[in-house]
Amino acid sequence: MLLKKSADIKSSEITPKNLYLNRRRFLAGTAIAGAAALAGLELGEAVSPSTVAHANTKIEGLQKSPFSTTEKITPYKDVTTYNNYYEFSTDKDGPSRLAGNFKTRPWNVTIDGLVQKKQVLDVDSIIKMAPAEERIYRHRCVEGWSIVVPWVGFSLSELIKRAQPTSKAKFVEFTTLLDMKQMPGQRRDVLQWPYVEGLRMDEAMHPLALLCFGMYGEALPNQDGAPLRLVVPWKYGFKSAKAIVRIRFTDSQPRNTWNISAPTEYGFYSNVNPNVDHPRWSQAKERRLGEFFKRPTLMFNGYDQVASLYSGMDLKKNF
Ligand code: MTE
């Protein structure tokens, strides 16, 4: 992002070099005992285990979502080999080359801050918390490329409701794993680590905000944010933190990594907005991975149902 001088992406850059899929098995249950001991509490009733990713990484029993677009889905190969994931690399094909052995089990997520149910949860117990849906979303990177992906997950609000935020909680902060042994990009100072993102509480509660653990009917590949990430489709891609280990509820606006790194370029809100240019390039158009011609970028990435969250706000100031 910061390193890119232009939104233009040559189609040659997009051509995948190698497809490194993480076919590692989901070690169902291995860590649950440990996490349950730590947690002592359950955020909610587990639903049918058929909604959980099993051995061959297929996720069964997916429900369809009314939020899905009918637009053409971007090829899996492009979505899994053209990634932004600075913990591994600043090259687009770096994460798919370097994240193959990334360990996503056991994996705990700390829920803390201004909530009644502070706890540490095993990621598999989070995945079981609510029925898994397939949501086909447009996803727009601040650099000017976009993808259409059948993500798998459920609304972040499902987890938030179970955590029972107190009335003082106004924001939610998401933190990515800090582990420079596994994530070679963290050995460099390109960003302040760990990667942190945040949403205002009403944004986080909006049903479109997706807590995501799969795509294309399977568990998330490591390079796309396994085992747990956000997908906030009306915001630029950098708001959608990958490999989440902590969800903290706060009364003040969290400082997000890209804003710390370049405050004049990356705001806290970062709603997709064709009328607000990035200081170094226009945001009026975008190129779908795998396509040649650019298309106009839509306000809120076409998700008009979120507009009311920002009524009365100056979205040029709050970029
Ligand atoms: N999350 C972490 N932890 N580290 C990152 O570098 N990059 C962000 C976002 N989440 C990033 C991250 C950016 S800039 C984008 S565009 C999306 O992830 C890309 O998601 P994708 O690689 O699955 O398309």
Side-chain angles (χ1 to χ4, degrees):
M1 298 211 333
L2 192 61
L3 310 172
K4 222 37 190 181
K5 285 272 180 319
S6 146
D8 284 335
I9 297 158
K10 287 184 244 129
S11 54
S12 59
E13 260 186 270
I14 296 168
T15 309
K17 281 190 180 160
N18 271 312
L19 191 59
Y20 287 89
L21 296 183
N22 171 25
R23 294 281 177 202
R24 196 153 1 102
R25 295 176 167 240
F26 260 39
L27 302 176
T30 45
I32 292 177
L38 269 171
L41 283 165
E42 282 279 334
L43 277 181
E45 293 285 301
V47 295
S48 154
S50 65
T51 59
V52 184
H54 282 304
N56 296 322
T57 78
K58 263 250 160 305
I59 304 176
E60 306 293 341
L62 286 180
Q63 306 199 348
K64 296 243 172 291
S65 167
F67 298 130
S68 286
T69 171
T70 52
E71 284 168 80
K72 190 171 157 244
I73 291 173
T74 305
Y76 182 89
K77 212 173 177 185
D78 291 338
V79 174
T80 53
T81 55
Y82 193 89
N83 298 103
N84 272 344
Y85 202 170
Y86 277 30
E87 283 85 343
F88 288 97
S89 172
T90 53
D91 295 332
K92 300 296 181 218
D93 64 350
S96 60
R97 283 188 286 104
L98 299 166
N101 292 324
F102 182 57
K103 262 187 86 201
T104 60
R105 296 295 188 285
W107 190 280
N108 290 329
V109 181
T110 301
I111 316 279
D112 66 350
L114 301 170
V115 277
Q116 289 178 28
K117 295 206 166 178
K118 288 186 190 145
Q119 54 195 305
V120 178
L121 287 173
D122 178 84
V123 71
D124 289 308
S125 68
I126 294 178
I127 289 171
K128 277 186 254 180
M129 204 173 264
E133 286 173 27
E134 179 168 84
R135 298 237 186 124
I136 307 170
Y137 279 165
R138 291 179 291 278
H139 196 60
R140 165 70 154 82
C141 180
V142 74
E143 292 165 347
W145 51 273
S146 63
I147 47 184
V148 176
V149 177
W151 304 104
V152 174
F154 50 75
S155 294
L156 172 64
S157 63
E158 295 287 345
L159 181 140
I160 295 179
K161 276 187 268 173
R162 288 167 173 84
Q164 297 178 19
T166 69
S167 57
K168 287 189 183 142
K170 303 283 180 256
F171 295 88
V172 195
E173 180 191 80
F174 305 88
T175 305
T176 294
L177 180 72
L178 181 65
D179 182 353
M180 61 170 82
K181 278 198 189 129
Q182 289 206 77
M183 298 171 127
Q186 289 182 341
R187 292 174 214 149
R188 296 171 58 209
D189 285 339
V190 278
L191 288 176
Q192 184 176 296
W193 309 112
Y195 194 99
V196 174
E197 256 310 332
L199 295 173
R200 212 172 56 190
M201 188 62 98
D202 57 345
E203 297 179 317
M205 286 299 289
H206 194 281
L208 277 174
L210 187 73
L211 192 62
C212 170
F213 42 86
M215 58 189 219
Y216 299 85
E218 297 181 351
L220 271 181
N222 292 344
Q223 61 270 34
D224 287 283
L228 195 68
R229 69 172 293 173
L230 279 184
V231 183
V232 192
W234 71 94
K235 291 181 180 279
Y236 291 119
F238 70 88
K239 296 297 290 179
S240 296
K242 298 175 172 181
I244 294 169
V245 292
R246 186 177 185 194
I247 301 177
R248 187 171 73 99
F249 294 77
T250 66
D251 53 4
S252 54
Q253 187 174 298
R255 294 223 51 205
N256 51 318
T257 296
W258 278 102
N259 183 254
I260 293 169
S261 163
T264 57
E265 302 194 359
Y266 308 109
F268 175 79
Y269 283 94
S270 286
N271 291 317
V272 174
N273 190 340
N275 308 313
V276 177
D277 289 344
H278 183 283
R280 289 186 277 137
W281 59 78
S282 162
Q283 292 291 23
K285 290 188 174 174
E286 68 197 64
R287 197 193 316 276
R288 281 278 146 86
L289 289 196
E291 291 182 9
F292 182 73
F293 293 108
K294 288 187 176 179
R295 61 176 70 213
T297 285
L298 304 173
M299 188 67 207
F300 301 120
N301 205 17
Y303 295 97
D304 297 332
Q305 59 267 58
V306 299
S308 62
L309 297 178
Y310 308 103
S311 54
M313 270 180 82
D314 181 342
L315 294 181
K316 288 208 159 100
K317 275 193 194 143
N318 297 285
F319 60 91

